[in-house]
Amino acid sequence: MKGLVFELQHTDGTSHARAGKIITGHGVIETPIFMPVGTVGSVKAVQVPELKNDIKAQIILGNTYHLYLRPGLEVLEKAGGLHRFNSVDLPMLTDSGGFQVFSLTGLRKMTEEGVTFQSHIDGSRHLFTPERVMDIERSIGADIMMAFDECCPGNADYKYARQSMERTHRWLDRCVRRFSETDPKYGYHQALFPIVQGCVYKDLRSASAEYIASKEAEGNAIGGLAVGEPTEVMYEMIDLVHGILPLDKPRYLMGVGTPANILEAIALGVDMFDCVMPTRNGRNAMLFTKEGIINIRNKKWEDAFEPIEADGASYVDTLYTKAYLHHLFKAQEYLALQIASLHNLAFYLWLVREARKHIMADDYHTWKEIMVKRVMQRL
């Protein structure tokens, strides 16, 4: 059973931006890449053929916490894993559920053993330990599994941030042990990615990156960012760990973010991204386009009969007009949510493909400076 392979193909001559290739048991992923979020085994309002054939997704993210609660491990194992259950034969990544568990304020209790929490669905009580999370992710069957960590708030004080980071490292050791003691259940390799924590403190981030790098995992993640800290501080933390994490392994920035965030983080050496923003904002009538951000509910689009994007990355861009999508949102038609979600995901994936082209051409920095201003302006 072959392991995960990362091939670093080119580094931009004007930044730390990288173009690479990740080879998994379910296919090849060209980086930099954006991963649509399929929290409960589906990307909201988007069907599998559209994911694969229209927006050209290369990897999908699932959520351990939600899939554990529903449909549950018994169903997933009977199905032969999540790939067979949801008919998505693309590479998949599962987060550890840590972020969801720690966000259940008032419904969870954390100890050294793990986290006891109440289900948001029925109030039932459950325990996530590092060992249990590894077993759950084995059962889900993702190609890339995330280690169980504590997601420290962006405004945490130094003492708490240090204690949180040290617990994450101890839990990582337990994850690694359990991972090495178990085998994949469905006949293909699964990789384990540890997560750098340390909040907004330089010495903690450096120490965490060094600890994570020492594990020599097949890839590494940067967590605990975009959780309330200033954007410039987030970039500072990413730049700091760039010089510590191994260059020959993929880097995954968790839960980030806006088109500008992604472009800036690519320049800082990040390879993989996920965020609910394209689908969540799309369902709320916000469209990301190559010329800027549109609130399609605004009256100015009522008689805008041009395509959503004339040279768009998805069939919905040229098939439907802004006026029609404006009408669908006003009429509260479900089709509006589907069109907007498809458009935004297609745009995000177009953006990282374009980034890759400019990395290969050694002019990424110049292109990025233009695009950051363009795509974030309000139209």
Side-chain angles (χ1 to χ4, degrees):
M1 190 182 301
K2 292 184 178 180
L4 181 144
V5 175
F6 178 62
E7 297 178 4
L8 181 57
Q9 296 172 305
H10 190 74
T11 300
D12 172 59
T14 63
S15 69
H16 295 313
R18 299 136 51 94
K21 184 165 64 173
I22 302 171
I23 303 172
T24 75
H26 283 92
V28 176
I29 306 157
E30 292 187 328
T31 63
I33 190 63
F34 178 82
M35 300 180 281
V37 176
T39 302
V40 298
S42 70
V43 178
K44 285 183 172 59
V46 181
Q47 296 188 67
V48 174
E50 293 167 324
L51 280 173
K52 293 179 62 177
N53 303 324
D54 182 38
I55 68 173
K56 298 178 176 61
Q58 297 183 48
I59 177 171
I60 307 298
L61 183 142
N63 181 263
T64 294
Y65 166 84
H66 288 283
L67 291 168
Y68 162 78
L69 291 176
R70 189 169 51 193
L73 303 186
E74 183 178 355
V75 170
L76 289 171
E77 288 181 353
K78 284 182 179 179
L82 183 58
H83 289 90
R84 292 186 178 179
F85 184 63
N86 66 3
S87 301
V88 178
D89 58 347
L90 293 169
M92 291 189 196
L93 180 150
T94 42
D95 65 18
S96 68
F99 179 81
Q100 283 69 32
V101 167
F102 294 115
S103 67
L104 294 171
T105 305
L107 297 176
R108 50 88 171 169
K109 180 181 179 181
M110 183 168 56
T111 66
E112 187 63 26
E113 181 186 10
V115 182
T116 302
F117 62 93
Q118 286 182 264
S119 165
H120 72 285
I121 299 170
D122 60 10
S124 57
R125 297 184 70 81
H126 305 267
L127 173 64
F128 270 13
T129 65
E131 295 81 7
R132 181 62 174 144
V133 168
M134 292 297 95
D135 293 346
I136 294 169
E137 292 192 77
R138 287 290 199 196
S139 293
I140 295 171
D143 300 87
I144 299 173
M145 301 165 42
M146 303 308 301
F148 191 50
D149 67 327
E150 179 184 353
C151 184
C152 183
N155 60 355
D157 63 37
Y158 184 87
K159 181 180 178 181
Y160 183 90
R162 187 186 72 246
Q163 292 173 343
S164 173
M165 179 198 72
E166 290 171 348
R167 180 182 290 114
T168 288
H169 292 172
R170 292 192 297 272
W171 283 358
L172 172 60
D173 290 340
R174 291 165 59 188
C175 285
V176 170
R177 280 196 297 271
R178 187 65 171 185
F179 181 79
S180 65
E181 293 168 355
T182 57
D183 296 315
K185 295 189 174 185
Y186 308 116
Y188 52 86
H189 178 74
Q190 293 179 281
L192 175 63
F193 283 21
I195 304 170
V196 176
Q197 289 290 349
C199 198
V200 296
Y201 303 103
K202 291 182 180 180
D203 61 329
L204 298 184
R205 280 283 169 185
S206 296
S208 187
E210 288 169 1
Y211 194 83
I212 267 58
S214 74
K215 298 303 172 182
E216 299 182 349
E218 292 174 284
N220 299 292
I222 305 167
L225 293 175
V227 287
E229 79 285 354
T231 301
E232 291 308 314
V233 173
M234 176 178 72
Y235 296 150
E236 188 178 5
M237 295 300 106
I238 298 168
D239 191 35
L240 181 67
V241 303
H242 165 77
I244 301 171
L245 295 177
L247 293 172
D248 61 346
K249 306 289 180 63
R251 289 94 168 269
Y252 162 34
L253 179 59
M254 305 181 74
V256 178
T258 67
N261 292 157
I262 289 174
L263 291 174
E264 296 290 0
I266 288 173
L268 297 172
V270 175
D271 307 298
M272 305 169 68
F273 302 86
D274 81 281
C275 189
V276 298
M277 185 170 286
T279 46
R280 179 179 291 172
N281 287 27
R283 296 193 305 274
N284 287 283
M286 178 184 285
L287 304 183
F288 296 100
T289 78
K290 298 168 186 176
E291 300 301 323
I293 299 171
I294 292 173
N295 182 343
I296 200 66
R297 280 200 182 99
N298 287 349
K299 186 175 176 59
K300 67 183 292 185
W301 309 113
E302 182 179 40
D303 57 356
F305 298 112
E306 69 268 17
I308 296 171
E309 283 208 280
D311 58 346
S314 168
Y315 75 91
V316 300
D317 295 336
T318 53
L319 182 61
Y320 301 112
T321 65
K322 293 171 183 171
Y324 181 59
L325 186 53
H326 169 87
H327 158 70
L328 292 178
F329 270 105
K330 284 293 190 179
Q332 299 185 349
E333 283 290 329
Y334 293 135
L335 182 59
L337 313 184
Q338 183 179 18
I339 292 172
S341 297
L342 272 171
H343 163 78
N344 280 350
L345 284 173
F347 168 77
Y348 266 61
L349 283 155
W350 170 86
L351 190 66
V352 293
R353 287 196 301 271
E354 288 297 302
R356 179 181 169 87
K357 290 178 185 177
H358 287 278
I359 292 168
M360 299 297 279
D362 281 322
D363 65 354
Y364 179 75
H365 177 78
T366 301
W367 174 81
K368 184 262 295 183
E369 291 295 294
I370 295 170
M371 290 303 295
V372 164
K373 295 175 183 176
R374 181 182 297 169
V375 301
M376 295 307 295
Q377 64 184 343
R378 298 276 176 164
L379 299 179

